[in-house]
Amino acid sequence: MLSSHAAALASLPSSLPFLRPSPTLRLSTSLLSSLASTSSVDPSPPVRSKYGGIQLEETVEVGSEKSRLDAWIASRMHDVSRSRIVASIRSGLVTVNGRAVDKVSYKVKGGDVVSCTVSELQPLRAEAEDIPLDIVYEDEHLIVVNKPPHMVVHPAPGNPNGTLVNAILHHCKVSTFTWRTKSANLLEEGVDSSDEEIEVFHVDEFPTGGNGSRVGEALVRPGIVHRLDKGTSGLLVVAKDEHAHAHLAEQFKLHTIKRVYVSLTIGVPKGHTARVEVPIGRDPNNRLRMIATPSSSNRYARHAASRYKVIEVLAGGACALVEWRLETGRTHQIRAHAKYIGVPLLGDEVYGGTKNMVTSLLRAKNPSHFHDNTFETITKLDRPCLHALSLGFNHPHTGEFLQFSRPPPDDFCQILDFLESITESASDN
């Protein structure tokens, strides 16, 4: 049962007339004008990416200790993932003193001249899968989906199936697609990119209707406009045609998309409301994590701003229900900003919101008769308690402002109810 506070958040104004169930729709027929005349589909060539082809030629500093080749190159090319560097080495694109080296553990020493050309990305492919979708709104141009926790938004190396994209391909009756993204360096290392705009999807094959004859190769551009982390639940908009994608992407770029998130934090943020404006970049000590840090200390960090509002203080101040509004869309923005201000999200093991931390705090701040239930409830946590509660945007074709909201899923609400029961018990005493 949703708590009164969460229910109030979920009742944000929404475009109720547009919440009707929708039939399954094919991708806009206007997209099919780009169909090729041939019926065969050639293997996709490597994708020219943001970092593909970048070259490094540098001499190892004399007197420095020996270092692994991949580690040394990574220390010089901060925006390129370690897996891309490893792939470049193994592809013969790295030389040391003019000789090709394909062993990533090769030790470089002072005076060595290292030359590296970053390898191009290979396109990712995925097939349609019959996966249930919670569709909040759909028309011929876009879909708004309520993503469950633990569902990955798009395919990535090592995670090609069971994603939102696989489900949408089936829903839209598209068989396969080839996917390209500028942010593939993050995806290769398993970093979910929350709300950061991505490149479009290029659909390669369409099934036919009618007489059953095969339609040739197509190059069309529907796709995901923004992303949610694997563990984050909530609302996400998907474009079904190029015009919709371009216009929605522009709204994200201009920060006119209205996004509201709700989270459970360990501890209570200072002040009832505040704005966090701290750049976010890759954590140099952990490439799977981002870090909020002053720009002077990380030249690769990007501007990031979030606003938060404490909705309810829970369990004697051990936790809080917090609303977040994003001004920018950086990878792991809320999670990184929450950690920066000292209140990591409950269940966010990557950013310090560990089960041990919240269990210790709950036991320290609340009566002993809650301790057993505390351990039992918290051990069930398997994701950060973060939910994309509300999403509003101008329809890319009609210009009408649409706003949708969905309450948090059961796992979030169960934790919230437990924390509120501790709060209410303390107030009764």
Side-chain angles (χ1 to χ4, degrees):
M1 189 71 180
L2 186 65
S3 71
S4 59
H5 293 283
L9 285 172
S11 65
L12 291 171
S14 63
S15 301
L16 294 177
F18 296 94
L19 298 182
R20 60 187 183 278
S22 303
T24 298
L25 299 175
R26 289 182 181 274
L27 292 168
S28 173
T29 54
S30 64
L31 293 174
L32 301 181
S33 60
S34 62
L35 289 175
S37 59
T38 60
S39 60
S40 62
V41 180
D42 296 329
S44 299
V47 181
R48 181 71 180 182
S49 67
K50 181 176 181 180
Y51 302 110
I54 288 180
Q55 294 185 333
L56 166 76
E57 184 164 337
E58 192 170 327
T59 300
V60 180
E61 185 178 354
V62 175
S64 61
E65 295 183 1
K66 289 185 177 181
S67 175
R68 279 176 56 114
L69 179 60
D70 58 339
W72 186 86
I73 295 175
S75 71
R76 300 303 190 273
M77 305 180 82
H78 299 279
D79 282 345
V80 181
S81 72
R82 180 70 68 89
S83 58
R84 287 287 293 280
I85 292 170
V86 169
S88 302
I89 295 171
R90 291 174 175 167
S91 298
L93 298 176
V94 174
T95 65
V96 178
N97 300 325
R99 298 181 60 182
V101 175
D102 59 7
K103 187 177 180 180
V104 296
S105 60
Y106 178 89
K107 300 288 188 179
V108 295
K109 59 184 183 299
D112 285 345
V113 178
V114 178
S115 176
C116 172
T117 301
V118 178
S119 63
E120 297 290 354
L121 289 174
Q122 296 298 318
L124 299 171
R125 297 180 66 85
E127 296 186 358
E129 295 181 55
D130 188 3
I131 302 170
L133 287 173
D134 181 4
I135 296 177
V136 176
Y137 169 76
E138 180 177 12
D139 61 26
E140 61 182 313
H141 305 296
L142 58 88
I143 309 173
V144 176
V145 177
N146 185 23
K147 186 186 87 67
H150 309 301
M151 174 180 271
V152 175
V153 171
H154 43 66
N159 196 49
N161 306 113
T163 72
L164 179 65
V165 166
N166 295 109
I168 287 175
L169 287 173
H170 180 271
H171 179 75
C172 292
K173 301 190 183 304
V174 177
S175 60
T176 64
F177 77 92
T178 301
W179 177 69
R180 304 160 167 86
T181 174
K182 287 182 178 178
S183 300
N185 62 312
L186 291 175
L187 301 178
E188 289 174 338
E189 303 230 350
V191 175
D192 295 314
S193 300
S194 174
D195 287 311
E196 199 163 34
E197 295 77 26
I198 68 170
E199 286 292 89
V200 297
F201 296 110
H202 297 259
V203 177
D204 287 337
E205 301 174 27
F206 282 78
T208 63
N211 59 14
S213 62
R214 181 178 176 83
V215 177
E217 180 179 8
L219 183 63
V220 296
R221 299 164 67 90
I224 306 297
V225 185
H226 64 132
R227 298 178 280 205
L228 296 176
D229 294 345
K230 177 181 178 180
T232 303
S233 56
L235 296 173
L236 185 141
V237 61
V238 180
K240 296 171 86 175
D241 60 58
E242 185 172 356
H243 177 87
H245 186 281
H247 279 251
L248 288 169
E250 183 67 12
Q251 291 180 59
F252 273 96
K253 181 178 179 180
L254 297 175
H255 310 306
T256 58
I257 298 282
K258 305 300 181 184
R259 293 172 287 174
V260 179
Y261 293 74
V262 64
S263 73
L264 293 173
T265 61
I266 300 178
V268 182
K270 293 181 180 179
H272 184 67
T273 62
R275 182 173 184 267
V276 183
E277 186 176 9
V278 182
I280 291 176
R282 184 79 68 89
D283 186 338
N285 299 315
N286 184 346
R287 293 184 67 84
L288 301 184
R289 185 172 62 195
M290 309 303 287
I291 186 171
T293 178
S295 56
S296 59
S297 62
N298 187 339
R299 64 191 182 98
Y300 298 102
R302 300 172 66 187
H303 170 72
S306 310
R307 296 181 182 272
Y308 69 78
K309 177 181 179 181
V310 177
I311 304 302
E312 183 179 8
V313 176
L314 299 163
C319 299
L321 177 65
V322 180
E323 174 192 292
W324 299 84
R325 296 177 184 264
L326 298 182
E327 296 181 18
T328 55
R330 304 301 176 220
T331 300
H332 296 184
Q333 179 169 320
I334 292 174
R335 298 167 66 187
H337 274 171
K339 177 179 174 61
Y340 179 82
I341 62 175
V343 289
L345 302 189
L346 188 61
D348 195 348
E349 300 281 336
V350 174
Y351 286 88
T354 65
K355 296 175 184 178
N356 288 338
M357 179 182 181
V358 68
T359 299
S360 298
L361 198 57
L362 284 168
R363 288 179 171 177
K365 290 181 173 289
N366 295 282
S368 59
H369 62 271
F370 283 108
H371 291 181
D372 289 342
N373 286 340
T374 295
F375 179 78
E376 181 181 350
T377 302
I378 296 303
T379 53
K380 296 177 182 177
L381 270 176
D382 58 1
R383 70 169 181 114
C385 288
L386 179 63
H387 175 72
L389 183 80
S390 177
L391 178 66
F393 54 87
N394 292 320
H395 193 285
H397 285 266
T398 68
E400 181 180 5
F401 182 74
L402 305 179
Q403 183 161 310
F404 308 95
S405 62
R406 281 295 182 271
D410 289 344
D411 65 337
F412 187 111
C413 293
Q414 288 169 4
I415 296 291
L416 178 57
D417 287 343
F418 171 71
L419 295 173
E420 287 189 325
S421 69
I422 297 177
T423 306
E424 292 168 2
S425 176
S427 63
D428 291 339
N429 297 329

